[in-house]
Amino acid sequence: QVQLVESGGGLVQPGGSLRLSCAASERTFSRRAMGWFRQAPGKEREFVAGTSWNGGNTYFTDSVKGRFTISRDNAKNTVYLQMNNLKPEDTAVYYCAAAPGLFSVPFDRRQYSDWGQGTQVTVSS
């Protein structure tokens, strides 16, 4: 089981940017696809972005396409979520999660076995 720790959340004004980081505890991270999810108050946890093991394939939910990018540095056991042009509706707790395999990036949160503790992102003026 890999341990994941998110960081980089905070309060930002609409139109601003944040970069979230997710650090993994072990090198097996490099052999797993990764996903970012978010959960707003009163809502279900939803898929935001994902990347295959080498960053060659990336996926985004429609509401963040063109604004968010996902990347990873396997040498540092870290995956990033760059969030630009943030909107109030992006406010949520953001979680990273490790998928079971190399290439498949499930959109269903139930297919992820390892999760971080989450980091709060608040977009407000």
Side-chain angles (χ1 to χ4, degrees), residues 37-56:
F37 288 75
R38 66 187 179 187
Q39 187 167 17
K43 295 187 176 181
E44 291 191 354
R45 193 171 298 187
E46 64 171 354
F47 176 85
V48 176
T51 175
S52 58
W53 72 279
N54 62 352

Side-chain angles (χ1 to χ4, degrees), residues 2 19 35 47 55 72 82 84 86 88 115-117 122 125:
V2 61
R19 188 176 81 155
F47 176 85
R72 63 190 299 163
Q82 177 68 43
N84 298 327
L86 282 160
W115 292 84
Q117 84 290 348
T122 302
S125 55

Side-chain angles (χ1 to χ4, degrees), residues 38 46-50 58-70 81-87 90 94 107:
R38 66 187 179 187
E46 64 171 354
F47 176 85
V48 176
T58 58
Y59 306 88
F60 301 91
T61 192
D62 287 346
S63 63
V64 308
K65 285 180 180 177
R67 301 188 296 122
F68 291 13
T69 58
I70 186 171
L81 184 68
Q82 177 68 43
M83 306 185 295
N84 298 327
N85 190 21
L86 282 160
K87 303 176 180 181
D90 295 316
Y94 282 71
F107 293 174

